[in-house]
């Protein structure tokens, strides 16, 4: 069985006696950690145990909830220290992740009471800031090892929310800003990680919020998507984020109809370069389809050119169809070109509220024949389209 076209290697291996004994010991140690962390004592010792367990298995979401409770009813509810804490994040080594700013690091926190809903630490001193920074540092090597683990991302967002709710605005904003830098480094390592892109959108939304004294970051984020797409033309996540930014970008620029049309043309030019480079670039075709949708939607419903008349839209769609036709030369085996030509031509009929002309209908039938050969798994869809053509 293959996954994304990559055959799975055989998982059946013969283990020698030494490997079997080591595996049994690892399982025994793991189960012992699980038993120890199930204790309901809010102590630093249990917090350290959760660190060890999550380092072995970050997918164990129940332990993340245990860790939340340990912080909420333990470190977060302790009084502030008297020493001023540095805003610089601590080292990300595993040995540093279980240390706290409390002088009595071995004392039990089991007697701590849950904090009041209205309580707010100043954030300038105290174990709250230290605990948040230490825990954020603890997660960094986990994210590097398991960059697509939902539970790590969810827990990290929870920590950042705690900073927002419990610390001074200036300090909380500094922590969120550092987080934007971190996710930028992660996307440099893996620029198509959709977890990282979704996380970045959440971080930016918080940095823009009034609670953190923010302002719009749409221009800089739009430039960021351009840079990331230029580095990898198949970066679907960058294009998806770009599509989400466009309506807000044009509104903030107060773009008139002429500026909006020029913007749309520039976007078509950008994506056309990617398609001419690689006609099989599925991500680029999806973004091309998004741009075409802005032309094919009814007037006033387009997010890019809402005031463009139906006549102007039709002329622009015809131009784009001709541009795509040119890509066929030398790429006759690319199903994405035929799919775009067929879909956009049929959409043009609906936009102009007319029946197809004879040459258009013949072209569509020809493209449909090619799609049947290149994409046989969608035979049912091609059968339905063939029946629709018979009506004309």
């Amino acid at each position: 069985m293959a996954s994304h076209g990559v055959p799975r290697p055989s998982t059946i291996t013969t283990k020698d006696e030494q490997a079997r004994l080591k595996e049994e010991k690892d399982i025994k140690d793991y189960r012992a950690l699980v038993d120890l962390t199930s204790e309901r004592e809010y102590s630093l010792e249990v917090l350290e145990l959760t660190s060890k367990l999550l380092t072995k298995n970050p997918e164990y979401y129940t332990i993340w909830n245990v860790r939340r409770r340990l912080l909420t009813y333990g470190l977060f509810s302790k009084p502030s220290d008297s020493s001023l804490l540095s805003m610089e994040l601590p080292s990300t080594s595993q040995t540093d992740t279980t240390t706290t700013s409390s002088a009595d690091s071995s004392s039990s926190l089991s007697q701590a009471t849950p904090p009041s809903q209205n309580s707010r630490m100043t954030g300038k001193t105290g174990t709250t800031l230290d605990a948040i920074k230490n825990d954020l540092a603890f997660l960094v090597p986990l994210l590097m090892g398991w960059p697509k683990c939902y539970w790590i991302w969810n827990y990290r967002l929870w920590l950042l929310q705690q900073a927002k709710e419990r610390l001074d605005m200036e300090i909380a904003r500094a922590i969120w800003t550092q987080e934007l830098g971190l996710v930028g480094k992660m996307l440099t390592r893996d620029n198509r990680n959709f977890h990282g892109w979704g996380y970045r959108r959440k971080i930016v939304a918080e940095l823009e919020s009034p609670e953190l004294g923010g302002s719009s970051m749409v221009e800089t984020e739009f430039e960021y998507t351009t840079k990331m797409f230029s580095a990898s033309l198949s970066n679907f996540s960058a294009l998806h984020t770009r599509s989400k930014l466009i309506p807000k970008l044009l509104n903030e620029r107060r773009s008139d109809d002429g500026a909006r049309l020029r913007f749309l043309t520039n976007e078509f030019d950008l994506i056309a370069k990617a398609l001419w480079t690689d006609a099989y670039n599925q991500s680029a075709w999806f973004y091309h389809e998004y741009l075409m949708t802005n032309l094919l939607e009814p007037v006033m419903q387009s997010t890019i050119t809402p005031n463009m008349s139906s006549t102007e839209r039709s002329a622009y769609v015809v131009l784009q169809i001709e541009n795509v036709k040119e890509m066929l030369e030398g790429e006759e085996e690319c199903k994405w070109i035929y799919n775009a030509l067929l879909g956009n031509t049929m959409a043009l009929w609906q936009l102009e509220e007319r029946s197809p002309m004879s040459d258009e209908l013949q072209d569509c039938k020809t493209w449909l024949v090619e799609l049947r050969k290149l994409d046989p798994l969608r035979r049912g869809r091609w059968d339905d389209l063939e029946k629709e053509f018979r009506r004309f």
Side-chain angles (χ1 to χ4, degrees):
M1 185 176 183
S3 176
H4 299 286
V6 180
R8 292 181 179 177
S10 175
T11 57
I12 302 176
T13 57
T14 304
K15 299 178 181 178
D16 56 27
E17 182 65 16
Q18 185 177 2
R20 187 186 65 80
L21 292 174
K22 182 180 182 302
E23 183 177 355
E24 288 183 356
K25 181 181 183 302
D26 290 342
I27 293 174
K28 183 178 179 180
D29 293 343
Y30 179 84
R31 288 176 175 173
L33 275 174
V34 173
D35 292 339
L36 288 171
T37 53
S38 64
E39 299 178 6
R40 297 185 62 83
E41 181 184 3
Y42 299 124
S43 66
L44 293 176
E45 288 79 4
V46 177
L47 184 67
E48 292 176 3
L49 290 172
T50 65
S51 297
K52 293 179 181 179
L53 184 55
L54 292 170
T55 301
K56 294 178 179 291
N57 180 17
E59 296 282 359
Y60 199 164
Y61 69 89
T62 301
I63 303 302
W64 289 114
N65 291 334
V66 171
R67 195 175 182 91
R68 285 186 178 93
R69 288 196 297 270
L70 287 167
L71 293 178
T72 301
Y73 303 132
L75 293 177
F76 288 170
S77 61
K78 289 192 69 180
S80 301
D81 288 340
S82 58
S83 58
L84 185 65
L85 297 176
S86 169
M87 277 307 302
E88 182 180 358
L89 286 177
S91 168
T92 58
S93 66
Q94 290 293 340
T95 57
D96 291 340
T97 60
T98 56
T99 62
T100 69
S101 63
S102 173
D104 185 10
S105 61
S106 62
S107 62
S108 174
L109 303 178
S110 58
Q111 301 301 318
T113 57
S116 168
Q117 291 286 345
N118 298 323
S119 65
R120 184 183 181 92
M121 301 289 288
T122 64
K124 296 177 181 177
T125 60
T127 56
T128 298
L129 174 59
D130 211 21
I132 290 175
K133 292 198 299 181
N134 282 337
D135 241 29
L136 288 172
F138 163 67
L139 297 178
V140 171
L142 295 186
L143 282 173
M144 294 179 67
W146 292 271
K148 298 184 178 181
C149 176
Y150 284 103
W151 312 115
I152 305 176
W153 291 108
N154 291 344
Y155 182 78
R156 194 167 185 90
L157 272 178
W158 176 80
L159 281 173
L160 293 171
Q161 287 295 336
Q162 295 302 303
K164 180 180 175 182
E165 295 171 7
R166 297 173 182 271
L167 305 178
D168 281 352
M169 183 184 73
E170 294 82 2
I171 295 181
R173 181 171 180 82
I175 292 176
W176 282 84
T177 302
Q178 288 175 332
E179 195 69 9
L180 185 62
L182 172 67
V183 74
K185 291 179 180 178
M186 293 199 67
L187 288 177
T188 300
R189 291 169 57 94
D190 182 6
N191 56 27
R192 297 174 59 182
N193 184 350
F194 71 91
H195 297 269
W197 279 97
Y199 188 72
R200 184 183 181 93
R201 289 191 292 272
K202 293 177 182 178
I203 298 299
V204 169
E206 291 292 342
L207 286 172
E208 291 178 323
S209 68
E211 291 84 356
L212 292 178
S215 58
S216 175
M217 300 171 61
V218 66
E219 289 284 356
T220 55
E221 286 302 294
F222 189 76
E223 292 175 4
Y224 181 75
T225 65
T226 303
K227 181 184 75 171
M228 298 301 283
F229 176 65
S230 299
S232 175
L233 297 180
S234 61
N235 194 330
F236 175 80
S237 294
L239 293 174
H240 174 70
T241 298
R242 190 177 186 87
S243 69
K244 296 295 183 183
L245 291 170
I246 286 175
K248 186 178 179 182
L249 178 76
L250 293 173
N251 289 336
E252 288 189 3
R253 289 179 177 178
R254 298 183 179 179
S255 301
D256 57 20
D257 293 341
R260 286 173 174 268
L261 181 56
R262 288 191 296 273
F263 179 88
L264 180 63
T265 301
N266 291 336
E267 289 300 289
F268 270 117
D269 290 343
L270 174 71
I271 211 65
K273 291 177 181 177
L275 292 173
W276 278 104
T277 302
D278 179 11
Y280 295 84
N281 186 340
Q282 183 177 357
S283 299
W285 280 114
F286 283 163
Y287 190 70
H288 184 273
E289 183 178 358
Y290 157 73
L291 295 176
M292 292 298 296
T293 300
N294 281 274
L295 294 168
L296 298 169
E297 286 181 344
V299 177
M300 298 304 295
Q301 292 188 20
S302 170
T303 57
I304 299 180
T305 54
N307 298 321
M308 199 174 182
S309 68
S310 296
T311 302
E312 293 172 324
R313 290 172 186 271
S314 297
Y316 207 101
V317 170
V318 171
L319 175 63
Q320 293 304 318
I321 290 175
E322 292 302 317
N323 290 340
V324 174
K325 281 182 180 179
E326 294 181 10
M327 296 181 187
L328 268 179
E329 185 176 354
E331 298 291 354
E332 292 81 3
E333 299 299 314
C334 179
K335 74 167 187 176
W336 297 106
I337 299 178
Y338 296 111
N339 192 65
L341 289 172
L342 186 61
N344 292 328
T345 301
M346 295 179 67
L348 180 62
W349 305 340
Q350 297 181 0
L351 178 64
E352 297 180 345
E353 297 180 345
R354 64 173 175 82
S355 297
M357 293 182 286
S358 58
D359 58 335
E360 291 177 324
L361 186 58
Q362 184 57 47
D363 283 342
C364 286
K365 289 181 178 179
T366 301
W367 298 331
L368 184 59
V369 170
E370 296 300 322
L371 283 169
R372 281 188 179 279
K373 293 188 296 184
L374 297 172
D375 194 1
L377 293 179
R378 289 173 176 78
R379 181 178 59 186
R381 170 174 167 74
W382 313 139
D383 289 344
D384 289 341
L385 288 177
E386 187 174 25
K387 291 177 184 177
E388 188 171 344
F389 291 158
R390 291 173 185 168
R391 297 190 296 105
F392 303 112

